[in-house]
Amino acid sequence: MEKRNIGKLIAGVVVIGFVFIAALMFGLPRYNVWQQEMAGKAEMAKAEQNRRILVEEAKAKLEAEKLNAQAEIERAKGMAEAMKLENGTLSETYNQYLFIRTLEKLADKGDLPQIIYVPTNGMVPVMDVSKKSPVKQMQE
């Protein structure tokens, strides 16, 4: 009787082994297909998210450019108003003011180059040194 039980036990283990192997033969390929599908969906979701990020960055750049353009327009309006106050002419004092303002902006950025100041008539640069300066003409 024990031989029979051992034989049945061995036969049961063999049948279970064959069933397990058959399940693996059919199940593993389906699992691989499912796994690839899930990996593809994850990659698509990542690509969609990256596209959304690029779109948002482009929108932010566009908004920044619009604001920069508005700031430039306002600056131009301010300059036009200043010119009206100056009656369309730039005085020496206003030129000095613009020069100092430019120096302050450069200093704030840390881009201030070495400046060599050459005294001139009202800080107006001499463009043609071959001509006599107004001061020398007055002295003659």
Side-chain angles (χ1 to χ4, degrees):
M1 198 176 235
E2 279 187 31
K3 282 188 174 185
R4 260 190 185 175
N5 287 339
I6 292 177
K8 286 183 181 181
L9 183 63
I10 290 175
V13 169
V14 169
V15 169
I16 290 175
F18 279 131
V19 170
F20 182 72
I21 289 172
L24 286 177
M25 285 173 44
F26 290 109
L28 282 178
R30 290 182 188 254
Y31 172 76
N32 286 338
V33 169
W34 176 81
Q35 185 182 23
Q36 290 295 322
E37 184 180 341
M38 291 296 115
K41 285 182 180 179
E43 197 170 319
M44 282 295 289
K46 185 177 180 180
E48 179 67 21
Q49 183 65 24
N50 287 341
R51 186 189 67 79
R52 285 183 190 151
I53 289 170
L54 289 174
V55 167
E56 288 301 317
E57 286 177 349
K59 285 180 182 178
K61 285 180 184 177
L62 177 63
E63 187 67 26
E65 289 299 322
K66 285 180 180 178
L67 292 174
N68 286 338
Q70 286 176 351
E72 190 65 25
I73 289 169
E74 290 301 316
R75 188 191 68 74
K77 286 179 183 177
M79 289 296 290
E81 191 173 323
M83 290 294 289
K84 284 180 188 176
L85 291 175
E86 290 287 328
N87 294 326
T89 62
L90 293 177
S91 68
E92 294 175 14
T93 307
Y94 190 70
N95 282 337
Q96 289 175 353
Y97 165 74
L98 289 176
F99 180 73
I100 292 169
R101 199 170 123 199
T102 302
L103 288 178
E104 287 173 348
K105 286 180 183 178
L106 289 173
D108 288 343
K109 288 182 184 178
D111 294 336
L112 189 62
Q114 181 179 7
I115 296 173
I116 300 172
Y117 174 70
V118 178
T120 60
N121 186 16
M123 287 190 61
V124 177
V126 177
M127 296 299 181
D128 189 1
V129 290
S130 64
K131 293 182 180 179
K132 291 185 178 180
S133 71
V135 175
K136 286 186 179 178
Q137 286 178 353
M138 291 175 79
Q139 288 174 352
E140 292 178 352

